[in-house]
Amino acid sequence: MPLIAVSNVCFSIGQAVILDGATLSIEPGERIGLVGRNGAGKSTLMRVMTGELTPDSGSVILQRGSRVGYLKQDPDLDAELTLREEAGKAFVELSRLHKELDEVYHAMERLPPDDAEGGVTLDRLMKRQSDIQHRIEDAGGYAVDHKIDAILHGLGFVDSQFGIKVSGLSGGQMGRLALAKLLLESPDLLLLDEPTNHLDISGREWLEDFLSGEFRGAVLMVSHDRYMLDRVVTRIEEVEQGRLIDYPGNYSAFCEIRYHRRLTQHRAYAKQQNKFKKEEEYIRKYKAGQRAKQAQGRLSKLDREKRDSTLERPVELESFRMELPKAPRAGDLVAVVRGAGKWYGPADGAQGAGGEEEPGQRSKGGRVLFRDLDVTISREERWGIIGPNGAGKTTLVRAMLGQMPLSAGTARLGANVIVGYYSQTGDDADESLPVYQYLQLIIRRENPGGVGLSEQQARDLAGAFLFSGKDQEKRIGSLSGGERSRARLAGLLASAKNLLVLDEPTNHLDIQSAERLEDALCGVEGEDGEREGGFDGTALLISHDRALIDATCDHLLVLDGAGGVEVFHGNYSEWHEKHLARLKSDNAAANDKREGEKREAERRESEKREAERREAQKREAKQRDATQRAGAAVKKERAVVRVAASPADRARGSGGVAKSVFSWMSEERLEKEIAVASARVVEVDGLLGDEKVYSDAKRCRDLLGERAEVKEKLDRMEEEWLRRAGK
């Protein structure tokens, strides 16, 4: 039975049709990716599924008792709670279940023992108890604190941030906190709308592992991260013209299947249109001649065929058709960095460009972003700059461009370098301009005194970056974030720069736009398998988009967030493979170290136990010697008494009172023996209180026997001492 079923849903805003007969069924545990261009209706579909929006027609049926969790773009958080307190609110349902379980236990206690229906009632309560306990286990059980810490750490938070109030978090941190809460709630169906927006690469990899390995519910995910879609989902639903098209497999399989499916559709459509044209040509040629009757029959047949079986015009097979202008040739060395370091003191405000606290290593009350960096960037090389959020990636690039000072070392650009910089802060363009005029303005601004773009050239450029004819007339102020990013990138790439610096260019781009950017940077594959066109200069790319980095960059600068920078010559996949091997080796070394330390601790403990055993043996030997000497003395005393006295004398003393076997001892000797025996009783009692002694049955029996014998002797000596004292 489906977990949720969406059937023929239609939804419109004014005259704009967003969903037009969308149908979707999700089974428990499924992993589905929802793809499509920005504005295609992906978020609308999710809001309809949660009940936030009411469809114009169609139905949404959720399996009874199932819970749906939805990650919104604008999270609803309590500003007065701390980060960890807000995360803990995810377990409100768990707290309710614990309370309900307590009520069941109380109901069991109140059952009267002689109730005729008690057996039936008890069975019902026990069944309810079992059901609640299963739900408690599914919701996190009793180990919620560990789960909260694990998920917050996985999404990039550190312990020192747990006490920060929500009001003091940045927008990116709030987004990650909302995602953490949703994952902690463990709903039956997880609707994720761009969950990677504020995650760095390590956070994305953690989320991939969590969704594919730990989370047991179903997932419907809108994401522009192609690597995540490849690793997590097993089915793709594409939103196209208001409807959903199903593709089995992950994103890579989807791309291949979609290409061949569209190619087949185009061929069938073209074949049918060609047939229609031939029929129309025949009808025009013979409609007034001898074959007019036959032509009329063909016209009727053609009209019926057009009405009943005309194939829908498929979406165009898009390809990158654009020749980027050539920039002046730069020198062989584009940028040279030597001994570069950047850190902030306590008064410098140790925050990154994104506003989040830098995680870099502390140094004398400040923070180190990077240090001792030596790198040479040559002409036509493509460098990717990756690292955790706030590690200093933007700071490094701005220092290389001379826009901010270094704390140590030098950075300089080479000869004849013309920089095009795409920053995260956007630009201040006139928002009343249509897209094609905005592109003309960028080209004039970036190339003062140079040749600008004609209107047709500007429209061709806009079309190459996925602006259709009517979209080219849109005003800049009315564009979405993704559309505006596309327009800025198009203008920058067409501005004849020989060094492009792109800082998070895909933050607001959908997958098709990101792939178009790849084509613009790398060119497209020709019939001979070689890349044609594309940007021919040097590029520095800051991004968490692993697919983009992998496709465009052949060198990497990897910031670790603790002051270190690794220079790697190769693409992201090669670095990632070596990084995993290094982690595996480090983990193995750490495990070996822990095992060695464990073995050493066990050896020391064994030696300690052996020393204690030898010491105990020595004490026991001394005790046995003392006991044997005491026993020999007693035997000797008894023998002396037997020899020294007649039977009558032994039975009675001169006063008619029975004498002790110790009556022969002097008073001084008697007191001394009493002291020795008393000390031994105390010593044996102490040994019997030792865990190592009473766990040894034989030794324990020996000590108990010895104690009884010494105690008996002590009692008799005390009787003799009291007898003498009473005379």
Side-chain angles (χ1 to χ4, degrees), residues 37-80:
R37 287 190 175 177
N38 287 340
K42 302 185 294 295
S43 297
T44 300
L45 176 63
M46 285 189 167
R47 294 173 67 190
V48 168
M49 292 172 69
T50 62
E52 187 177 329
L53 294 177
T54 302
D56 301 330
S57 62
S59 63
V60 178
I61 300 174
L62 179 66
Q63 191 180 107
R64 186 175 180 181
S66 297
R67 295 180 299 120
V68 177
Y70 176 40
L71 179 66
K72 301 179 181 179
Q73 296 291 343
D74 49 342
D76 182 17
L77 304 173
D78 189 335
E80 295 305 312

Side-chain angles (χ1 to χ4, degrees), residues 197-216:
N197 269 359
H198 306 290
L199 296 181
D200 56 26
I201 289 177
S202 62
R204 295 178 186 213
E205 291 175 342
W206 178 89
L207 182 59
E208 289 168 359
D209 292 336
F210 181 85
L211 293 177
S212 58
E214 294 187 40
F215 183 68
R216 290 180 287 179

Side-chain angles (χ1 to χ4, degrees), residues 320-487:
F320 187 74
R321 294 284 183 266
M322 175 186 171
E323 284 293 329
L324 295 175
K326 303 297 182 183
R329 179 185 176 92
D332 291 339
L333 300 181
V334 173
V336 178
V337 179
R338 292 291 180 265
K342 182 66 178 179
W343 50 82
Y344 294 94
D348 294 328
Q351 287 193 334
E356 295 194 23
E357 186 179 77
E358 296 288 358
Q361 177 186 0
R362 290 184 177 275
S363 175
K364 296 181 179 179
R367 295 181 187 275
V368 177
L369 303 186
F370 53 87
R371 59 171 44 162
D372 303 327
L373 172 60
D374 293 316
V375 63
T376 299
I377 298 174
S378 301
R379 188 179 64 250
E380 296 184 4
E381 289 182 344
R382 310 297 175 86
W383 286 77
I385 304 175
I386 62 176
N389 286 330
K393 302 182 292 294
T394 299
T395 301
L396 173 58
V397 164
R398 293 184 62 199
M400 293 172 67
L401 297 179
Q403 295 181 1
M404 67 170 9
L406 288 165
S407 301
T410 61
R412 60 182 181 85
L413 296 178
N416 202 29
V417 173
I418 305 173
V419 179
Y421 184 24
Y422 177 93
S423 68
Q424 296 186 49
T425 55
D427 57 13
D428 54 354
D430 184 349
E431 297 193 346
S432 65
L433 293 175
V435 170
Y436 74 92
Q437 290 183 7
Y438 169 77
L439 294 177
Q440 290 177 308
L441 174 65
I442 288 182
I443 301 302
R444 287 197 301 270
R445 186 178 64 194
E446 296 290 336
N447 296 285
V451 178
L453 293 182
S454 66
E455 178 178 336
Q456 187 57 50
Q457 288 174 322
R459 288 184 180 275
D460 290 343
L461 175 61
F465 280 85
L466 306 178
F467 288 98
S468 63
K470 62 180 182 180
D471 291 336
Q472 295 174 12
E473 303 293 338
K474 284 184 178 180
R475 305 295 173 182
I476 291 298
S478 67
L479 298 182
S480 67
E483 290 172 327
R484 191 155 184 165
S485 293
R486 265 192 283 135

Side-chain angles (χ1 to χ4, degrees), residues 11 182 327 629:
F11 185 86
L182 192 59
R629 287 195 297 272

Side-chain angles (χ1 to χ4, degrees), residues 9-13 16-22 34-46 48 53 193-194 222 224 237-245 254 258 262 315 471 474 480 483 486 510-513:
V9 165
C10 297
F11 185 86
S12 301
I13 300 176
V17 178
I18 309 300
L19 299 175
D20 185 13
L34 189 61
V35 303
R37 287 190 175 177
N38 287 340
K42 302 185 294 295
S43 297
T44 300
L45 176 63
M46 285 189 167
V48 168
L53 294 177
D193 193 355
E194 291 298 343
V222 175
H224 298 160
E237 293 286 341
E238 183 182 26
V239 184
E240 185 177 282
Q241 297 178 343
R243 287 168 289 182
L244 294 177
I245 305 172
F254 155 75
R258 180 181 61 169
R262 287 190 174 179
V315 175
D471 291 336
K474 284 184 178 180
S480 67
E483 290 172 327
R486 265 192 283 135
D510 55 29
I511 291 178
Q512 291 88 342
S513 301

